[in-house]
Amino acid sequence: MGNELFLWDHPVSPYAQKVRIALREKNISFRYETPKGAGSGNRAAVDPNFLEQNHRVEVPMLVDGELKIFDSTIILEYLDDKYPKIPLRPSDPESRARARMIEDVCDSQYEAINWGMGEIENFKRLEGVQAEQLRNQAKHQVAQLHEWLTFQLGSAEWFGGESFGWADVCVWPFVNRSTSYGIEPATGTPLRDWYERAKERESVAAVFAEFETGVKGQSGAADALKNGLLKRQYRDHRLEWMIKSGGIKVILDGLENSNIRFSWPSPL
């Protein structure tokens, strides 16, 4: 793959979006590709090059020569360490810790809600009253996240203050995903203004365009699940959210129909 960085990626993954925004903000040349079979849960269908390099079979994964790095947070740290000219992390320990806490909330609590909405809206695991109950849970919980994020933003232009930085990179993909489901920051609020302001940046605008294209490519997701072509990954926070929000039927049905899976290492 030469000296240019290579990213195993998926346009709809918020974790992969974080990395693409960061690479573009730092003006780092890179190539990217969505591995065949990514997210299917069927190892036989996954691109063998990707499978060989990543035992977790998850995107994003950054390839830098012989080095293969998984996990979006670790990738962002590596990029900031290796390419410090345009830093994303705040310089002082207090602001750096705050940015990481914001990232952690989005990577876990926020992502779980967006994932759950995808199970309803894209994969049609529940319909009717049961689906509406989960939608109401998502709206209620995202409102709390938006309130917390608004407090973290304060009166600043960016989460890092005057400059677009680490926390902005890590928040935008999750706000964007819930917005795509109609659960968005209210018009005229600081968080909505921040979201729109970020979308005007070249790095974010590119990711948004890629996201829209990727979403269009998921039109057959429900049929693929129904026909046994997909097993959706229910790891930690996703499993917790579905249970606490009243979606235990989704999990039980998924186990019965063998269309949910869990994280590596694999059980017997």
PDB file of all heavy atoms in Angstrom, residues 16-41:
ATOM      1  N   ALA A  16     -15.533   5.641  12.004  1.00  0.00           N
ATOM      2  CA  ALA A  16     -14.726   5.888  10.815  1.00  0.00           C
ATOM      3  C   ALA A  16     -14.799   7.352  10.391  1.00  0.00           C
ATOM      4  O   ALA A  16     -13.814   7.935   9.927  1.00  0.00           O
ATOM      5  CB  ALA A  16     -15.183   4.975   9.672  1.00  0.00           C
ATOM      6  N   GLN A  17     -15.954   7.968  10.566  1.00  0.00           N
ATOM      7  CA  GLN A  17     -16.107   9.386  10.228  1.00  0.00           C
ATOM      8  C   GLN A  17     -15.171  10.254  11.071  1.00  0.00           C
ATOM      9  O   GLN A  17     -14.594  11.228  10.565  1.00  0.00           O
ATOM     10  CB  GLN A  17     -17.559   9.812  10.427  1.00  0.00           C
ATOM     11  CG  GLN A  17     -18.518   9.227   9.409  1.00  0.00           C
ATOM     12  CD  GLN A  17     -19.972   9.478   9.766  1.00  0.00           C
ATOM     13  OE1 GLN A  17     -20.300  10.435  10.461  1.00  0.00           O
ATOM     14  NE2 GLN A  17     -20.852   8.608   9.310  1.00  0.00           N
ATOM     15  N   LYS A  18     -15.029   9.911  12.332  1.00  0.00           N
ATOM     16  CA  LYS A  18     -14.100  10.648  13.196  1.00  0.00           C
ATOM     17  C   LYS A  18     -12.708  10.672  12.577  1.00  0.00           C
ATOM     18  O   LYS A  18     -12.036  11.722  12.533  1.00  0.00           O
ATOM     19  CB  LYS A  18     -14.016   9.980  14.581  1.00  0.00           C
ATOM     20  CG  LYS A  18     -15.209  10.165  15.472  1.00  0.00           C
ATOM     21  CD  LYS A  18     -15.213   9.179  16.636  1.00  0.00           C
ATOM     22  CE  LYS A  18     -13.964   9.205  17.469  1.00  0.00           C
ATOM     23  NZ  LYS A  18     -14.038   8.238  18.597  1.00  0.00           N
ATOM     24  N   VAL A  19     -12.276   9.511  12.104  1.00  0.00           N
ATOM     25  CA  VAL A  19     -10.918   9.396  11.576  1.00  0.00           C
ATOM     26  C   VAL A  19     -10.776  10.174  10.269  1.00  0.00           C
ATOM     27  O   VAL A  19      -9.778  10.877  10.063  1.00  0.00           O
ATOM     28  CB  VAL A  19     -10.548   7.915  11.375  1.00  0.00           C
ATOM     29  CG1 VAL A  19      -9.162   7.788  10.740  1.00  0.00           C
ATOM     30  CG2 VAL A  19     -10.580   7.173  12.718  1.00  0.00           C
ATOM     31  N   ARG A  20     -11.786  10.092   9.396  1.00  0.00           N
ATOM     32  CA  ARG A  20     -11.695  10.830   8.127  1.00  0.00           C
ATOM     33  C   ARG A  20     -11.695  12.338   8.357  1.00  0.00           C
ATOM     34  O   ARG A  20     -10.983  13.080   7.676  1.00  0.00           O
ATOM     35  CB  ARG A  20     -12.824  10.414   7.187  1.00  0.00           C
ATOM     36  CG  ARG A  20     -12.486   9.175   6.370  1.00  0.00           C
ATOM     37  CD  ARG A  20     -13.583   8.779   5.418  1.00  0.00           C
ATOM     38  NE  ARG A  20     -14.623   8.035   6.098  1.00  0.00           N
ATOM     39  CZ  ARG A  20     -15.903   8.350   6.109  1.00  0.00           C
ATOM     40  NH1 ARG A  20     -16.333   9.418   5.470  1.00  0.00           N
ATOM     41  NH2 ARG A  20     -16.781   7.613   6.754  1.00  0.00           N
ATOM     42  N   ILE A  21     -12.501  12.806   9.297  1.00  0.00           N
ATOM     43  CA  ILE A  21     -12.488  14.242   9.609  1.00  0.00           C
ATOM     44  C   ILE A  21     -11.107  14.641  10.112  1.00  0.00           C
ATOM     45  O   ILE A  21     -10.538  15.664   9.682  1.00  0.00           O
ATOM     46  CB  ILE A  21     -13.569  14.587  10.655  1.00  0.00           C
ATOM     47  CG1 ILE A  21     -14.969  14.410  10.063  1.00  0.00           C
ATOM     48  CG2 ILE A  21     -13.394  16.035  11.140  1.00  0.00           C
ATOM     49  CD1 ILE A  21     -16.084  14.553  11.087  1.00  0.00           C
ATOM     50  N   ALA A  22     -10.550  13.845  11.017  1.00  0.00           N
ATOM     51  CA  ALA A  22      -9.241  14.167  11.597  1.00  0.00           C
ATOM     52  C   ALA A  22      -8.149  14.187  10.525  1.00  0.00           C
ATOM     53  O   ALA A  22      -7.316  15.103  10.487  1.00  0.00           O
ATOM     54  CB  ALA A  22      -8.895  13.162  12.692  1.00  0.00           C
ATOM     55  N   LEU A  23      -8.133  13.193   9.665  1.00  0.00           N
ATOM     56  CA  LEU A  23      -7.116  13.137   8.612  1.00  0.00           C
ATOM     57  C   LEU A  23      -7.190  14.364   7.708  1.00  0.00           C
ATOM     58  O   LEU A  23      -6.163  14.946   7.336  1.00  0.00           O
ATOM     59  CB  LEU A  23      -7.308  11.863   7.779  1.00  0.00           C
ATOM     60  CG  LEU A  23      -6.849  10.549   8.433  1.00  0.00           C
ATOM     61  CD1 LEU A  23      -7.455   9.357   7.705  1.00  0.00           C
ATOM     62  CD2 LEU A  23      -5.325  10.447   8.428  1.00  0.00           C
ATOM     63  N   ARG A  24      -8.394  14.777   7.373  1.00  0.00           N
ATOM     64  CA  ARG A  24      -8.556  15.932   6.490  1.00  0.00           C
ATOM     65  C   ARG A  24      -8.239  17.237   7.208  1.00  0.00           C
ATOM     66  O   ARG A  24      -7.672  18.151   6.602  1.00  0.00           O
ATOM     67  CB  ARG A  24      -9.971  15.937   5.918  1.00  0.00           C
ATOM     68  CG  ARG A  24     -10.166  14.841   4.871  1.00  0.00           C
ATOM     69  CD  ARG A  24     -11.604  14.537   4.572  1.00  0.00           C
ATOM     70  NE  ARG A  24     -11.734  13.586   3.471  1.00  0.00           N
ATOM     71  CZ  ARG A  24     -12.768  12.784   3.287  1.00  0.00           C
ATOM     72  NH1 ARG A  24     -13.797  12.818   4.137  1.00  0.00           N
ATOM     73  NH2 ARG A  24     -12.799  11.943   2.282  1.00  0.00           N
ATOM     74  N   GLU A  25      -8.591  17.329   8.472  1.00  0.00           N
ATOM     75  CA  GLU A  25      -8.236  18.529   9.234  1.00  0.00           C
ATOM     76  C   GLU A  25      -6.724  18.682   9.330  1.00  0.00           C
ATOM     77  O   GLU A  25      -6.203  19.800   9.327  1.00  0.00           O
ATOM     78  CB  GLU A  25      -8.840  18.462  10.643  1.00  0.00           C
ATOM     79  CG  GLU A  25     -10.322  18.748  10.716  1.00  0.00           C
ATOM     80  CD  GLU A  25     -10.659  20.212  10.461  1.00  0.00           C
ATOM     81  OE1 GLU A  25      -9.843  21.100  10.796  1.00  0.00           O
ATOM     82  OE2 GLU A  25     -11.747  20.476   9.908  1.00  0.00           O
ATOM     83  N   LYS A  26      -6.028  17.557   9.388  1.00  0.00           N
ATOM     84  CA  LYS A  26      -4.574  17.594   9.534  1.00  0.00           C
ATOM     85  C   LYS A  26      -3.856  17.583   8.182  1.00  0.00           C
ATOM     86  O   LYS A  26      -2.623  17.528   8.128  1.00  0.00           O
ATOM     87  CB  LYS A  26      -4.125  16.399  10.385  1.00  0.00           C
ATOM     88  CG  LYS A  26      -4.631  16.474  11.822  1.00  0.00           C
ATOM     89  CD  LYS A  26      -4.377  15.202  12.606  1.00  0.00           C
ATOM     90  CE  LYS A  26      -2.981  15.122  13.130  1.00  0.00           C
ATOM     91  NZ  LYS A  26      -2.670  16.163  14.149  1.00  0.00           N
ATOM     92  N   ASN A  27      -4.650  17.619   7.096  1.00  0.00           N
ATOM     93  CA  ASN A  27      -4.089  17.653   5.733  1.00  0.00           C
ATOM     94  C   ASN A  27      -3.169  16.469   5.455  1.00  0.00           C
ATOM     95  O   ASN A  27      -2.109  16.617   4.832  1.00  0.00           O
ATOM     96  CB  ASN A  27      -3.329  18.970   5.492  1.00  0.00           C
ATOM     97  CG  ASN A  27      -4.242  20.172   5.544  1.00  0.00           C
ATOM     98  OD1 ASN A  27      -5.377  20.124   5.077  1.00  0.00           O
ATOM     99  ND2 ASN A  27      -3.758  21.262   6.129  1.00  0.00           N
ATOM    100  N   ILE A  28      -3.589  15.284   5.918  1.00  0.00           N
ATOM    101  CA  ILE A  28      -2.811  14.060   5.711  1.00  0.00           C
ATOM    102  C   ILE A  28      -3.393  13.303   4.522  1.00  0.00           C
ATOM    103  O   ILE A  28      -4.588  13.028   4.477  1.00  0.00           O
ATOM    104  CB  ILE A  28      -2.844  13.162   6.959  1.00  0.00           C
ATOM    105  CG1 ILE A  28      -2.261  13.909   8.172  1.00  0.00           C
ATOM    106  CG2 ILE A  28      -2.085  11.870   6.716  1.00  0.00           C
ATOM    107  CD1 ILE A  28      -2.475  13.179   9.489  1.00  0.00           C
ATOM    108  N   SER A  29      -2.556  12.977   3.574  1.00  0.00           N
ATOM    109  CA  SER A  29      -2.996  12.221   2.415  1.00  0.00           C
ATOM    110  C   SER A  29      -3.306  10.776   2.832  1.00  0.00           C
ATOM    111  O   SER A  29      -2.548  10.156   3.582  1.00  0.00           O
ATOM    112  CB  SER A  29      -1.904  12.233   1.345  1.00  0.00           C
ATOM    113  OG  SER A  29      -2.272  11.433   0.239  1.00  0.00           O
ATOM    114  N   PHE A  30      -4.426  10.253   2.350  1.00  0.00           N
ATOM    115  CA  PHE A  30      -4.785   8.877   2.685  1.00  0.00           C
ATOM    116  C   PHE A  30      -5.716   8.319   1.624  1.00  0.00           C
ATOM    117  O   PHE A  30      -6.362   9.053   0.888  1.00  0.00           O
ATOM    118  CB  PHE A  30      -5.455   8.808   4.065  1.00  0.00           C
ATOM    119  CG  PHE A  30      -6.842   9.398   4.133  1.00  0.00           C
ATOM    120  CD1 PHE A  30      -7.968   8.577   4.131  1.00  0.00           C
ATOM    121  CD2 PHE A  30      -7.038  10.774   4.196  1.00  0.00           C
ATOM    122  CE1 PHE A  30      -9.249   9.112   4.197  1.00  0.00           C
ATOM    123  CE2 PHE A  30      -8.314  11.321   4.266  1.00  0.00           C
ATOM    124  CZ  PHE A  30      -9.420  10.493   4.261  1.00  0.00           C
ATOM    125  N   ARG A  31      -5.763   7.007   1.568  1.00  0.00           N
ATOM    126  CA  ARG A  31      -6.731   6.304   0.752  1.00  0.00           C
ATOM    127  C   ARG A  31      -7.650   5.535   1.680  1.00  0.00           C
ATOM    128  O   ARG A  31      -7.262   5.201   2.799  1.00  0.00           O
ATOM    129  CB  ARG A  31      -6.037   5.340  -0.222  1.00  0.00           C
ATOM    130  CG  ARG A  31      -5.188   6.042  -1.257  1.00  0.00           C
ATOM    131  CD  ARG A  31      -4.565   5.060  -2.247  1.00  0.00           C
ATOM    132  NE  ARG A  31      -3.702   4.098  -1.587  1.00  0.00           N
ATOM    133  CZ  ARG A  31      -3.935   2.788  -1.500  1.00  0.00           C
ATOM    134  NH1 ARG A  31      -5.051   2.276  -2.025  1.00  0.00           N
ATOM    135  NH2 ARG A  31      -3.098   1.978  -0.903  1.00  0.00           N
ATOM    136  N   TYR A  32      -8.845   5.232   1.225  1.00  0.00           N
ATOM    137  CA  TYR A  32      -9.764   4.485   2.076  1.00  0.00           C
ATOM    138  C   TYR A  32     -10.644   3.585   1.244  1.00  0.00           C
ATOM    139  O   TYR A  32     -10.849   3.807   0.050  1.00  0.00           O
ATOM    140  CB  TYR A  32     -10.603   5.430   2.936  1.00  0.00           C
ATOM    141  CG  TYR A  32     -11.505   6.375   2.182  1.00  0.00           C
ATOM    142  CD1 TYR A  32     -12.848   6.079   1.994  1.00  0.00           C
ATOM    143  CD2 TYR A  32     -11.012   7.575   1.668  1.00  0.00           C
ATOM    144  CE1 TYR A  32     -13.682   6.956   1.314  1.00  0.00           C
ATOM    145  CE2 TYR A  32     -11.828   8.450   0.982  1.00  0.00           C
ATOM    146  CZ  TYR A  32     -13.171   8.139   0.815  1.00  0.00           C
ATOM    147  OH  TYR A  32     -13.994   9.003   0.133  1.00  0.00           O
ATOM    148  N   GLU A  33     -11.142   2.561   1.896  1.00  0.00           N
ATOM    149  CA  GLU A  33     -11.954   1.556   1.205  1.00  0.00           C
ATOM    150  C   GLU A  33     -12.851   0.870   2.225  1.00  0.00           C
ATOM    151  O   GLU A  33     -12.445   0.644   3.375  1.00  0.00           O
ATOM    152  CB  GLU A  33     -11.042   0.531   0.529  1.00  0.00           C
ATOM    153  CG  GLU A  33     -11.765  -0.568  -0.229  1.00  0.00           C
ATOM    154  CD  GLU A  33     -10.796  -1.563  -0.847  1.00  0.00           C
ATOM    155  OE1 GLU A  33      -9.638  -1.157  -1.152  1.00  0.00           O
ATOM    156  OE2 GLU A  33     -11.182  -2.739  -1.000  1.00  0.00           O
ATOM    157  N   THR A  34     -14.056   0.550   1.804  1.00  0.00           N
ATOM    158  CA  THR A  34     -14.951  -0.256   2.633  1.00  0.00           C
ATOM    159  C   THR A  34     -14.709  -1.723   2.319  1.00  0.00           C
ATOM    160  O   THR A  34     -14.863  -2.134   1.167  1.00  0.00           O
ATOM    161  CB  THR A  34     -16.425   0.086   2.364  1.00  0.00           C
ATOM    162  OG1 THR A  34     -16.648   1.461   2.668  1.00  0.00           O
ATOM    163  CG2 THR A  34     -17.350  -0.776   3.217  1.00  0.00           C
ATOM    164  N   PRO A  35     -14.301  -2.526   3.293  1.00  0.00           N
ATOM    165  CA  PRO A  35     -14.037  -3.935   3.006  1.00  0.00           C
ATOM    166  C   PRO A  35     -15.309  -4.684   2.639  1.00  0.00           C
ATOM    167  O   PRO A  35     -16.358  -4.474   3.257  1.00  0.00           O
ATOM    168  CB  PRO A  35     -13.442  -4.467   4.310  1.00  0.00           C
ATOM    169  CG  PRO A  35     -13.902  -3.514   5.357  1.00  0.00           C
ATOM    170  CD  PRO A  35     -14.032  -2.188   4.696  1.00  0.00           C
ATOM    171  N   LYS A  36     -15.217  -5.517   1.657  1.00  0.00           N
ATOM    172  CA  LYS A  36     -16.348  -6.357   1.267  1.00  0.00           C
ATOM    173  C   LYS A  36     -16.802  -7.190   2.469  1.00  0.00           C
ATOM    174  O   LYS A  36     -15.988  -7.775   3.183  1.00  0.00           O
ATOM    175  CB  LYS A  36     -15.954  -7.281   0.119  1.00  0.00           C
ATOM    176  CG  LYS A  36     -17.094  -8.143  -0.417  1.00  0.00           C
ATOM    177  CD  LYS A  36     -16.611  -9.114  -1.469  1.00  0.00           C
ATOM    178  CE  LYS A  36     -15.772 -10.218  -0.841  1.00  0.00           C
ATOM    179  NZ  LYS A  36     -15.408 -11.276  -1.804  1.00  0.00           N
ATOM    180  N   GLY A  37     -18.091  -7.204   2.711  1.00  0.00           N
ATOM    181  CA  GLY A  37     -18.634  -8.014   3.796  1.00  0.00           C
ATOM    182  C   GLY A  37     -18.508  -7.390   5.168  1.00  0.00           C
ATOM    183  O   GLY A  37     -18.861  -8.024   6.170  1.00  0.00           O
ATOM    184  N   ALA A  38     -18.015  -6.149   5.243  1.00  0.00           N
ATOM    185  CA  ALA A  38     -17.852  -5.504   6.550  1.00  0.00           C
ATOM    186  C   ALA A  38     -19.196  -5.369   7.246  1.00  0.00           C
ATOM    187  O   ALA A  38     -20.176  -4.931   6.654  1.00  0.00           O
ATOM    188  CB  ALA A  38     -17.217  -4.125   6.376  1.00  0.00           C
ATOM    189  N   GLY A  39     -19.246  -5.761   8.506  1.00  0.00           N
ATOM    190  CA  GLY A  39     -20.468  -5.641   9.281  1.00  0.00           C
ATOM    191  C   GLY A  39     -21.459  -6.759   9.078  1.00  0.00           C
ATOM    192  O   GLY A  39     -22.511  -6.788   9.715  1.00  0.00           O
ATOM    193  N   SER A  40     -21.130  -7.715   8.195  1.00  0.00           N
ATOM    194  CA  SER A  40     -22.081  -8.789   7.901  1.00  0.00           C
ATOM    195  C   SER A  40     -22.114  -9.847   8.999  1.00  0.00           C
ATOM    196  O   SER A  40     -23.123 -10.542   9.161  1.00  0.00           O
ATOM    197  CB  SER A  40     -21.735  -9.446   6.568  1.00  0.00           C
ATOM    198  OG  SER A  40     -20.508 -10.162   6.655  1.00  0.00           O
ATOM    199  N   GLY A  41     -21.013  -9.979   9.728  1.00  0.00           N
ATOM    200  CA  GLY A  41     -20.931 -11.048  10.714  1.00  0.00           C
ATOM    201  C   GLY A  41     -20.615 -12.395  10.104  1.00  0.00           C
ATOM    202  O   GLY A  41     -20.529 -13.397  10.798  1.00  0.00           O
TER     203      GLY A  41
END
